[in-house]
Amino acid sequence: MNKKIDQQAADNIRALAVAMVEKAKSGHPGGPMGGADFMHILYSEFFNYDPSDMTWAFRDRFFMDAGHLSTLMYAQYYLLESYEKKDVANFRQWGSITPGHPEVDVARGIENTSGPLGQGHTMGVGAAIAAKFLQARFGSWMNHKIYGFISDGGVQEEISQGAGRIAGHLGLSNFIMFYDSNDIQLSTSTDEVTSEDTEMKYNSWGWNVVIIDAHNHDEIRKALTDANNETEKPTLIIGKTIMGKGCVSADDSIFEGECELHGQPIGATGADYAKTLLNLGANPESPFDIYEDVSVFYKELLERKIEEAKSKKVDISIWRAANPELATKLDFFLSGELPELDFEGIEHKAGLATRAASSEILGYLAENVENMIVSSADLSNSDKTDGFLKKTHALKKGDFSGSFLQAGVAELTMSCIANGIALHGGIIPVVATFFVFSDYMKPAIRLSGIQELGVKYVWTHDAFRVGEDGPTHQPIEQEAQIRLLEKLKNHSGNPSFLALRPADSAETSVAWKMALENKNTPTGLILSRQGIKDLPTKGGSRYQEALAAEKGGYLVKQVENPDVVLIANGSEVATLVVAAEILESENNLKVNIASVISEGLFRLQSKEYQQSIIPKNKPLFGLTAGLPVNLEGLVGDAGKVFGLDHFGYSAPATVLDDKFGFTGAKVSQQVLAYLKTV
């Protein structure tokens, strides 16, 4: 411990944060200046990782919630040689690796994308769950810690309740979160928006809570030491900090703790940029330098971290030698590969709801995919994830041998936790709720897409046929919203989401196969509440025919030179089958039927294949239980889509089918009316 070096290092971080924001002419300097002491002590004395092997699976992980404090991370990691001077000097610029909010970059220490407040620390909770899950299977040597960093805004976001409740309930003693409590927000002081007792709140959730002066390095050390020794509870370190710590005005007077220091360059406030750098020991003419003594200290620190990691790896090697079968299984989990799975061998009763077919598949997966965590928002017996739960048991404090997370009524929290599980690695996360409640999940779904995470979303009760529950529970516009993400590309140039609405049990099996094989983007399975008549086969295996859904769309009924091509997905495909029978028997029409489980995937196929399924020179009619826009891109301007442009009503599903025009007979009349116009 060297008090002089510790202070210099923290001031160096402050100066770098100030300089980055000033040069970029945008950013948030005040918070990083307050959190600098904690970051330096954490990384220099407590954080375990291997600088020569940044993706080492058994490293400690740091999850930033307050993504606007990105300069705090970049400055700290610059001292740790994860960034170069040019990187911090190009903060927030085109092509730089230091964007305005941190984006996943494990090779440089960035474990999660953050920015939308509340999600970052909740992903940390997910990573802590993943670490506990793996530790329960492979041994106590797997004892890495998950650190979180949260601000006033993150604590205020409603998601913090779900994260705090679940972390405390599960006793996530491997989760240590620092709360940068500086009493200042972007536009106000915190006392203008809240008077809650944060300490009491987290205590009531079962956390270990300690309040410290987070500019006092000894208090930081003691808090982190105690947190690392805690075995029963997650720890919240409420660090009282000063916004803009170290800022001075032009006359060298102290200018700290002011709201205006939060979200703009300090040169635009009552503080003086050059004087502040001088006060922090930096050279205003060369503000991105690492101080000489700090540089020497951190170079020695990096060597020590590498040696400590080597020692840990020796211990792991000894465990591997003593447990070869477990070691092989662990490597398989971490590889992200799947075991051999026989989806065709999963038998389904006739006419199942696709949620019920999914339940049977989940039961099979529970027995054959050991590294899967399934979670439900208090709906496991209705979204039918209980098919999985019946073959395992729920995670609970002190016992992570199960594979099911009862999240309670907390859809957004559950989804963010799934993102954190995926970011940790080694585990496949699945989350489930009613489709209409995907609205609660959208912020996390978006971050699943941005971070390219293979989270599996299971959404049941997919249409107005929820029936008596009425318009609040009947999804109408949700499919259109989700399918927009199929049109939005991620930074790898691929569709950011895969949305699958299967038409029967066989397609549901194929959809689960597709979901599990889709490892680098999130997948949504949109499943029916009501039973669906199985689609007709062409004489062989219905599952084998349904494998064509892997191209996004295929013909479930095909004739030569059809008079009309009917297009749908989900339960509407079976309705089209009935309508086609009427059109053929009563109107002497020749009909093709296309099941398009995913337009986004279908659009990735060759133009020739797309034309073979949906020929543009034929009349095209689409049927959707949601907004017509769901299929308008497939039928084109000359085609016709029959859908809903209004909210649902409370009534039995069969009554709604009739009232809304979704029976085979009424759809056939719609088709005939359309054909008269072409």
Side-chain angles (χ1 to χ4, degrees), residues 181-207:
S181 179
N182 56 38
D183 298 325
I184 297 294
Q185 300 184 204
L186 181 62
S187 62
T188 70
S189 58
T190 57
D191 60 10
E192 293 188 36
V193 300
T194 183
S195 55
E196 73 176 14
D197 188 322
T198 303
E199 179 186 11
M200 288 183 66
K201 181 172 71 172
Y202 277 85
N203 271 324
S204 73
W205 287 329
W207 288 58

Side-chain angles (χ1 to χ4, degrees), residues 449-674:
I450 289 175
Q451 295 177 104
E452 303 182 20
L453 302 177
V455 177
K456 321 305 174 191
Y457 293 89
V458 176
W459 294 308
T460 66
H461 298 59
D462 68 340
F464 63 82
R465 299 177 187 91
V466 172
E468 292 88 344
D469 280 336
T472 61
H473 281 54
Q474 295 172 13
I476 304 297
E477 75 280 14
Q478 278 72 23
E479 184 178 351
Q481 294 171 355
I482 289 298
R483 292 203 184 277
L484 285 176
L485 292 173
E486 291 196 310
K487 303 176 187 295
L488 180 65
K489 291 183 179 180
N490 58 33
H491 286 169
S492 294
N494 300 313
S496 65
F497 196 87
L498 176 63
L500 304 172
R501 188 167 179 246
D504 65 0
S505 294
E507 274 195 23
T508 305
S509 291
V510 173
W512 264 110
K513 176 178 182 291
M514 295 166 69
L516 288 172
E517 291 174 353
N518 183 37
K519 300 172 185 176
N520 297 318
T521 56
T523 303
L525 287 84
I526 306 168
L527 307 172
S528 75
R529 177 202 187 201
Q530 82 287 355
I532 302 174
K533 186 177 180 180
D534 294 332
L535 300 182
T537 68
K538 301 170 185 176
S541 161
R542 172 70 192 121
Y543 174 83
Q544 287 296 322
E545 293 172 7
L547 283 173
E550 292 181 314
K551 291 187 176 181
Y554 68 110
L555 292 174
V556 298
K557 181 181 180 302
Q558 183 176 13
V559 298
E560 290 291 332
N561 194 27
D563 296 307
V564 63
V565 178
L566 309 181
I567 305 164
N569 60 44
S571 53
E572 287 82 79
V573 179
T575 304
L576 290 182
V577 171
V578 177
E581 291 171 351
I582 296 171
L583 293 169
E584 290 178 331
S585 63
E586 297 182 11
N587 304 98
N588 201 31
L589 292 172
K590 293 187 291 183
V591 181
N592 277 4
I593 301 175
S595 175
V596 185
I597 195 171
S598 164
E599 180 183 353
L601 186 56
F602 182 68
R603 293 296 190 189
L604 296 179
Q605 309 308 312
S606 69
K607 295 295 184 183
E608 292 76 16
Y609 180 78
Q610 294 182 49
Q611 176 68 16
S612 72
I613 305 302
I614 304 178
K616 298 304 181 184
N617 61 344
K618 296 289 183 181
L620 304 174
F621 179 91
L623 179 68
T624 176
L627 291 170
V629 72
N630 288 340
L631 298 176
E632 285 175 349
L634 292 170
V635 305
D637 292 340
K640 165 72 175 178
V641 177
F642 181 69
L644 292 182
D645 60 0
H646 57 79
F647 292 120
Y649 294 88
S650 177
T654 53
V655 173
L656 293 177
D657 265 330
D658 180 63
K659 295 293 186 181
F660 293 165
F662 282 80
T663 65
K666 290 190 173 182
V667 170
S668 69
Q669 292 301 309
Q670 287 280 346
V671 175
L672 289 172
Y674 160 63

